[in-house]
Amino acid sequence: MKNLKGISKKVLSNQLNELMADQIVYKREYLTGKVKHTEYQLTDIGETLIPIIVALNDWGENRLKQVTLVKTFNNDL
């Protein structure tokens, strides 16, 4: 949570609960001294999504480059 910005605790909690229900992630809780930590990790099923997410990210980056080039070209006209 501390590394995420722009998302409320409620929204994050709801999303994580949905991902756990779909067996995409699992929750691991542990103690370090008296401090309770919660960690979420991908399940084996969740790990099968990695290539899809990488492909979507690559597509988005390429699309952004195309849009930027078109805007630059149109502004130069």
Side-chain angles (χ1 to χ4, degrees):
M1 180 70 193
K2 64 183 174 188
N3 294 329
L4 298 175
K5 294 187 179 7
I7 186 169
S8 71
K9 284 184 179 184
K10 181 179 179 182
V11 170
L12 179 60
S13 179
N14 288 343
Q15 290 299 307
L16 288 168
N17 285 331
E18 285 184 29
L19 290 169
M20 284 190 300
D22 293 335
Q23 299 179 338
I24 305 297
V25 299
Y26 67 92
K27 179 166 66 170
R28 179 177 159 245
E29 297 178 325
Y30 59 95
L31 290 174
T32 303
K34 293 183 179 182
V35 179
K36 179 182 171 186
H37 298 276
T38 303
E39 184 176 274
Y40 293 87
Q41 294 181 329
L42 290 173
T43 61
D44 290 342
I45 293 169
E47 287 187 10
T48 66
L49 293 171
I50 291 173
I52 297 165
I53 294 168
V54 168
L56 283 170
N57 181 68
D58 292 346
W59 177 86
E61 286 181 356
N62 290 331
R63 180 70 181 129
L64 183 60
K65 288 176 189 172
Q66 291 171 348
V67 168
T68 302
L69 286 173
V70 168
K71 286 182 179 179
T72 301
F73 176 78
N74 287 337
N75 287 338
D76 289 344
L77 293 179

